[in-house]
Amino acid sequence: MAFLTLCATFSFEIFMRASQIFIPTLKETPAEAELVSHQLLLRGGFIRRLASGLYTWMPLGLRVLRKVERIVREEMDRSGAQEVLMPVVQPAELWQESGRWEKYGPELLRLKDRHQRDFCLGPTHEEVISDLARREIHSYKQLPVNFYQIQTKFRDEIRPRFGLMRGREFIMKDAYSFHMDHASLEITYQTMYDAYQRTFTRLGLDFRAVEADNGAIGGKRSHEFHVLADSGEDAIVSCDHCDYAANMEKASSPAKVAPVEAPLEAARVQTPGIRTVAEQAAMLGISSSQIVKTVLVVAGEQPVMLLLRGDDELNLIKAAHALEVDEVRMATPEEAESATGAPLGFIGPKDLSTAIRVLADHRALNVSNFSTGANEMDTHWVNLNWDRDLSRPDSADLRNVRAGDPCPHCSAGTLGIRRGIEVGHVFQLGQVYSERMKITVLDESGRDATVTMGCYGIGVSRVVAAAVEQHFDERGIIWPASLSPFDVGIVAINARKFPEVAAAAQALHDRLEQAGFSVLLDDRDERPGVQFATMDLIGLPHRVVVSDKVLAQNVWEYRARRASENTLVNEAELMDLLNAGSPVHQP
RNA sequence: CGGGGCGUAGCGCAGCUUGGUAGCGCGCCUGCUUUGGGAGCAGGAUGUCGUAGGUUCAAAUCCUAUCGCCCCGACCA
């Protein structure tokens, strides 16, 4: 456990306010922490867990959180958005009106007040802001307008995990814009997109904006901002040649026209016990790309047969779009068999005994001499060919892209897949909420017009964890300069034994504070090794050591957190190093 | 929600199979020594063994229930 003295001084006053900052570091990694960010934030004394998915921000962690908030706030203000603060507790009526009281499911934490009225803890604030807008905005002259807040949200996650990364309670910046028309929304959308680019750049993060799916809610455009990290929960796709990037739900790749092979004679073969594509390929001695597999899904209420090349993966989101329904799910084995009359594992598109809609992925139509199920137990077809043996069904993009696929935007590039942590999302809501909640204003001709909306989120607390995921080493955190709880750490070695060291460290601290740096002075009566280990763990970008040896040479000992060597510098050089910005950004 | 695992001192863990009244390391407190990469010696404090029942002369240990936490899964026919 560490108490470091944090001194704030006032230039010429004798009065000096000294306070102490509580930094309870842990030598050992708590068993509950899986992710590096979770481990290091616990060990560095930044956060403590209260219950599953609920964390207390300790003094050091709160300083980081405030840094993130400040940057986000500055960029939002700069973009013209106006800050408000809406309640966490929200009345059920609003959610019933938007239809989400039923739709949201158990993630929405519901509660009753003493009068037995229903409320919920806000997982998001579309309903509240919509209610505000319809009460207060009456004329086209008041538009466009963009409101934002930095507020605690609550989502009762199925499985909270990874510390701050997927908590139940978390802090989010959310913004909602209102417009007369889509053109106006498009302008604000771009403004927000640019603001996010600046925000995440200032936060010192290696990030990528990717095209995203709009989901059931519709709307035209949507981008997610991902921090690149191996531990990311999301797969993001990007081109190695142009700036195309999309998430896995959205990414597409053109289906190359494959050379048509000379057709072979079709045949039914016995394939007892086959269940999977891999088994089918092995038994028949073909590659899985020569199989057209049949996947039964339920779209809305209707069973649908989807065809994919054996080595491709179905993307349910794309299927939902192609079938023009909100949601597509895998059929149960019972549903699949009753819809086709064929046993699971042997279903195929040829000679169907039932009327069922069939939709193929583009790539499945490029295969010749392929194998499929024969709609009969233990039997498959081989050497089938489209047109000759069965007619071509409708086709759509149904598959997940894979690394190495060609880019849809440029001819030269190929797609790669990386992991990302979603820290931001900009989204065109369109008129979904404004219609449901009747947000109308009078237009220039005096007629009621339904407004168009956009919404824009940043996971503020998640950014803290994402930053650690991207910036750490075996000794601890390495904060980007813009997020570090302090700019500089001063380590006073053997300050008790050498009063001149204590005095010099204190004086240096004061001068650096006056120069505009925030400084953490470690004047604990600890061994140097303990002090260094603490400093490394909590990850301040700059460290200055004050010791009797160093004083004797009339220099300071400087080391960047990322560096492995000390540098002896005079004070002017030290100031230059601190002002040079963060070594974190050096390659 | 399904599967698996774990709850013993502030943290990390042993003890449980084969019941006999709780231990190790780190941390914490005191003293001395030490002082450039998580010190050494000596002394000390801290547990209703997650909770509630049950079995037994006796339960951390066996049984039942319950609460909490962690991990995996929840799309490939």
Side-chain angles (χ1 to χ4, degrees):
Chain A
M1 187 172 296
F3 286 87
L4 306 196
T5 301
L6 159 64
C7 300
T9 62
F10 304 91
S11 49
F12 298 105
E13 297 176 37
I14 309 161
F15 177 75
M16 175 189 289
R17 191 174 64 107
S19 56
Q20 291 187 305
I21 180 165
F22 187 62
I23 308 178
T25 60
L26 301 173
K27 225 169 178 176
E28 292 175 280
T29 302
E32 70 192 51
E34 181 87 350
L35 274 199
V36 169
S37 60
H38 192 189
Q39 295 174 350
L40 291 178
L41 288 169
L42 285 171
R43 284 191 53 211
F46 292 85
I47 57 169
R48 285 293 184 262
R49 190 182 69 88
L50 173 66
S52 181
L54 304 177
Y55 289 85
T56 294
W57 291 87
M58 303 295 281
L60 212 53
L62 187 58
R63 290 181 69 96
V64 178
L65 182 69
R66 295 291 184 235
K67 289 275 185 91
V68 178
E69 287 179 355
R70 199 174 97 189
I71 291 171
V72 169
R73 185 172 277 120
E74 285 173 2
E75 290 301 333
M76 290 306 292
D77 289 343
R78 177 139 80 119
S79 78
Q82 302 177 57
E83 186 167 9
V84 296
L85 188 59
M86 293 179 269
V88 176
V89 176
Q90 306 180 7
E93 288 75 31
L94 290 180
W95 286 75
Q96 286 157 351
E97 194 176 344
S98 73
R100 292 208 293 184
W101 186 256
E102 283 74 31
K103 246 191 167 174
Y104 216 92
E107 269 191 25
L108 185 65
L109 185 65
R110 296 148 215 257
L111 44 110
K112 285 181 192 294
D113 71 3
R114 62 163 66 193
H115 305 294
Q116 299 304 304
R117 291 194 195 102
D118 287 313
F119 289 85
C120 62
L121 292 187
T124 175
H125 281 71
E126 279 87 0
E127 281 77 4
V128 177
I129 197 75
S130 294
D131 185 60
L132 182 75
R134 69 184 169 186
R135 289 171 189 274
E136 307 298 335
I137 299 177
H138 308 291
S139 161
Y140 73 95
K141 294 175 187 170
Q142 294 170 291
L143 298 181
V145 66
N146 190 5
F147 295 112
Y148 79 96
Q149 66 172 347
I150 296 176
Q151 175 64 293
T152 296
K153 311 281 189 186
F154 191 93
R155 293 181 191 169
D156 203 354
E157 291 275 350
I158 299 176
R159 192 179 146 205
R161 55 187 139 177
F162 305 145
L164 298 179
M165 206 70 86
R166 185 167 289 281
R168 291 192 290 179
E169 186 178 295
F170 56 98
I171 296 168
M172 192 167 163
K173 185 285 298 178
D174 49 329
Y176 307 89
S177 67
F178 299 87
H179 311 268
M180 282 307 289
D181 52 38
H182 188 80
S184 169
L185 169 60
E186 198 62 59
I187 291 167
T188 297
Y189 184 86
Q190 189 60 45
T191 300
M192 285 296 102
Y193 184 96
D194 295 342
Y196 277 31
Q197 292 278 355
R198 279 199 305 273
T199 301
F200 292 119
T201 300
R202 283 185 63 188
L203 289 168
L205 300 170
D206 184 15
F207 69 98
R208 198 82 194 243
V210 306
E211 292 178 17
D213 188 80
N214 280 41
I217 229 160
K220 280 202 172 155
R221 292 177 69 195
S222 171
H223 285 86
E224 292 170 354
F225 288 76
H226 286 264
V227 168
L228 299 174
D230 293 337
S231 58
E233 289 190 271
D234 300 307
I236 61 177
V237 179
S238 58
C239 175
D240 62 4
H241 196 258
C242 71
D243 62 358
Y244 176 76
N247 68 10
M248 189 52 90
E249 294 172 352
K250 173 89 173 179
S252 65
S253 176
K256 281 189 216 154
V257 177
V260 178
E261 298 170 19
L264 302 173
E265 188 179 344
R268 289 160 63 98
V269 295
Q270 290 301 299
T271 50
I274 292 297
R275 290 272 119 177
T276 67
V277 166
E279 290 167 3
Q280 184 182 344
M283 179 172 284
L284 298 174
I286 58 180
S287 88
S288 53
S289 62
Q290 280 215 281
I291 290 170
V292 169
K293 68 179 176 185
T294 307
V295 182
L296 266 291
V297 297
V298 177
E301 297 293 305
Q302 296 300 312
V304 178
M305 177 181 285
L306 301 179
L307 305 178
L308 290 110
R309 217 172 78 172
D311 55 340
D312 280 337
E313 264 185 28
L314 172 62
N315 180 320
L316 288 171
I317 304 286
K318 290 182 180 177
H321 281 303
L323 296 168
E324 297 179 318
V325 294
D326 283 351
E327 196 183 359
V328 166
R329 62 171 175 84
M330 300 294 290
T332 64
E334 295 73 30
E335 287 172 330
E337 293 186 20
S338 80
T340 61
L344 197 65
F346 303 96
I347 298 171
K350 181 172 165 57
D351 304 330
L352 285 167
S353 61
T354 57
I356 183 171
R357 182 167 177 196
V358 180
L359 183 66
D361 178 69
H362 298 310
R363 295 225 309 184
L365 298 185
N366 274 344
V367 189
S368 31
N369 294 320
F370 59 86
S371 169
T372 74
N375 293 320
E376 186 182 323
M377 182 60 82
D378 294 342
T379 311
H380 279 83
W381 282 101
V382 293
N383 295 332
L384 290 183
N385 286 281
W386 296 111
D387 301 328
R388 183 190 73 176
D389 302 309
L390 67 173
S391 58
R392 290 173 183 267
D394 293 336
S395 68
D397 177 18
L398 299 176
R399 65 185 279 271
N400 282 332
V401 302
R402 289 187 300 191
D405 282 354
C407 173
H409 279 199
C410 70
S411 51
T414 58
L415 299 178
I417 297 176
R418 304 171 76 172
R419 307 300 298 179
I421 300 164
E422 187 187 349
V423 289
H425 200 166
V426 293
F427 201 97
Q428 296 189 353
L429 285 174
Q431 299 187 321
V432 179
Y433 287 93
S434 48
E435 277 170 4
R436 286 183 199 164
M437 303 200 55
K438 301 184 176 58
I439 313 174
T440 59
V441 299
L442 294 182
D443 65 15
E444 290 175 67
S445 58
R447 279 190 289 264
D448 272 343
T450 300
V451 304
T452 295
M453 295 170 62
C455 73
Y456 320 91
I458 290 178
V460 173
S461 45
R462 180 179 279 188
V463 161
V464 175
V468 178
E469 284 300 320
Q470 211 170 56
H471 303 286
F472 69 94
D473 64 13
E474 63 286 347
R475 299 199 306 273
I477 298 170
I478 307 172
W479 288 112
S482 56
L483 295 192
S484 182
F486 294 91
D487 299 319
V488 193
I490 297 178
V491 179
I493 304 278
N494 292 325
R496 177 172 286 193
K497 185 170 171 185
F498 302 106
E500 66 273 25
V501 168
Q506 183 65 58
L508 176 64
H509 165 280
D510 296 352
R511 289 195 298 279
L512 291 180
E513 286 271 342
Q514 282 208 336
F517 299 103
S518 61
V519 185
L520 180 68
L521 171 61
D522 186 354
D523 59 353
R524 291 176 300 172
D525 184 24
E526 284 283 2
R527 298 168 61 82
V530 174
Q531 295 179 293
F532 293 147
T534 299
M535 228 21 119
D536 287 343
L537 179 60
I538 66 176
L540 311 187
H542 306 285
R543 184 182 83 186
V544 182
V545 173
V546 181
S547 67
D548 57 320
K549 297 174 197 169
V550 161
L551 284 185
Q553 299 175 64
N554 202 27
V555 291
W556 303 117
E557 181 182 303
Y558 170 83
R559 188 194 285 199
R561 173 61 180 82
R562 246 191 223 289
S564 53
E565 298 295 324
N566 295 324
T567 315
L568 296 178
V569 295
N570 64 34
E571 191 151 325
E573 292 166 333
L574 175 62
M575 290 291 183
D576 287 345
L577 285 167
L578 299 183
N579 277 318
S582 170
V584 167
H585 296 305
Q586 290 172 5

